Amino acid sequence: MKINGKRVLRLREVKDIERATTKKARESWHLLTIMAEFVESTERLSELPSAVSIFGSARTKEGTKYYDLGMQIARQLSDAGFAVLSGGGPGIMEAVNRGAYAGKSPSVGLNILLPHEQGSNKWQDIAINFRHFFARKVAFVRYADAYVVMPGGFGTLDELSEVLTLIQTGTIQRIPVILVGAEYWRGLLDWMREQLVGDGMIHADDMNLIQVIDDPEKIVAAILDFYEAGDDTSPSIEAKTRELL
């Protein structure tokens, strides 16, 4: 096929009507399952108190520095009145749920169902299972009054860049974004300053969206200070829903 003399590939051209109809029905069912995940997360999380989403590697072992630190941070946030949201799996996610589970506020696991990957940890007051990453990501942002990002891999970097993009573009109101592990994040932050700011890809002020804090008490204080300062008000769940959906 050619348009304006240019060849246009028809990779998805329908040749088998019966097969196409089956595929269309399957895609429609897919959309219904996505809607169901949004409905379930709304029904189960909309009445949470203030909440903090915490991210980190699924590969971090129990008894290691960042596992123990994750437990401490989550416990102090929970005792301070924050529900704590994690990905519900092993590693840092387990440590976070474990710390929050022992605290005064809910420990929440937003679990992802994958064929050969993580199982859910047992320290969850509220456990929700997702099949779709993007529906899960919306829940992480929608109910979070702060992001705490611990050492992790591609998934952790994905969540970090996602929330920074949403704040930078004004899609959501500003919330605290705190990196834990100064040594771990130093190279990335130096690269951001040298390359992203240096080449004009982001504004120098965008780096102020990120804080680096390793002390659990100071993390809690930074989140409370952010809202008590009155620079930004915590966006309501209804407002976040309109912004994200």
Side-chain angles (χ1 to χ4, degrees), residues 19-175:
R19 182 180 177 185
T21 301
T22 301
K23 183 177 180 180
K24 185 176 181 180
R26 186 167 58 247
E27 291 298 321
S28 297
W29 176 251
H30 226 100
L31 291 174
L32 290 174
T33 65
I34 292 168
M35 291 173 61
E37 291 186 356
F38 282 123
V39 170
E40 182 182 6
S41 61
T42 299
E43 288 182 344
R44 301 188 65 188
L45 301 179
S46 60
E47 295 185 4
L48 282 178
S50 297
V52 177
S53 291
I54 306 182
F55 304 93
S57 175
R59 304 183 183 189
T60 303
K61 303 300 183 185
E62 182 178 0
T64 58
K65 171 184 174 181
Y66 289 119
Y67 187 102
D68 293 343
L69 187 56
M71 286 183 62
Q72 294 173 39
I73 293 168
R75 175 62 187 270
Q76 292 203 27
L77 285 167
S78 180
D79 286 342
F82 293 98
V84 176
L85 283 65
S86 93
I92 293 292
M93 294 176 283
E94 176 184 284
V96 165
N97 281 134
R98 191 172 175 179
Y101 192 78
K104 298 178 180 179
S105 302
S107 172
V108 181
L110 304 182
N111 306 277
I112 187 72
L113 300 177
L114 299 173
H116 306 292
E117 293 292 336
Q118 70 180 55
S120 301
N121 67 68
K122 63 183 180 181
W123 288 282
Q124 301 176 40
D125 297 303
I126 300 173
I128 302 177
N129 294 324
F130 291 85
R131 292 184 180 276
H132 305 281
F133 272 105
F134 75 90
R136 179 179 182 241
K137 288 171 71 174
V138 168
F140 273 125
V141 177
R142 182 178 174 187
Y143 298 101
D145 295 289
Y147 257 41
V148 174
V149 186
M150 301 191 67
F154 286 148
T156 303
L157 292 172
D158 177 50
E159 296 292 352
L160 173 60
S161 61
E162 178 84 21
V163 75
L164 290 174
T165 301
L166 291 171
I167 295 170
Q168 182 201 49
T169 57
T171 304
I172 64 171
Q173 296 185 51
R174 184 173 177 178
I175 63 174

Side-chain angles (χ1 to χ4, degrees), residues 197-217:
V197 176
D199 289 347
M201 303 299 177
I202 64 172
H203 194 279
D205 288 344
D206 290 332
M207 294 301 298
N208 295 329
L209 299 176
I210 304 169
Q211 302 177 69
V212 182
I213 308 174
D214 288 352
D215 183 273
E217 291 185 5

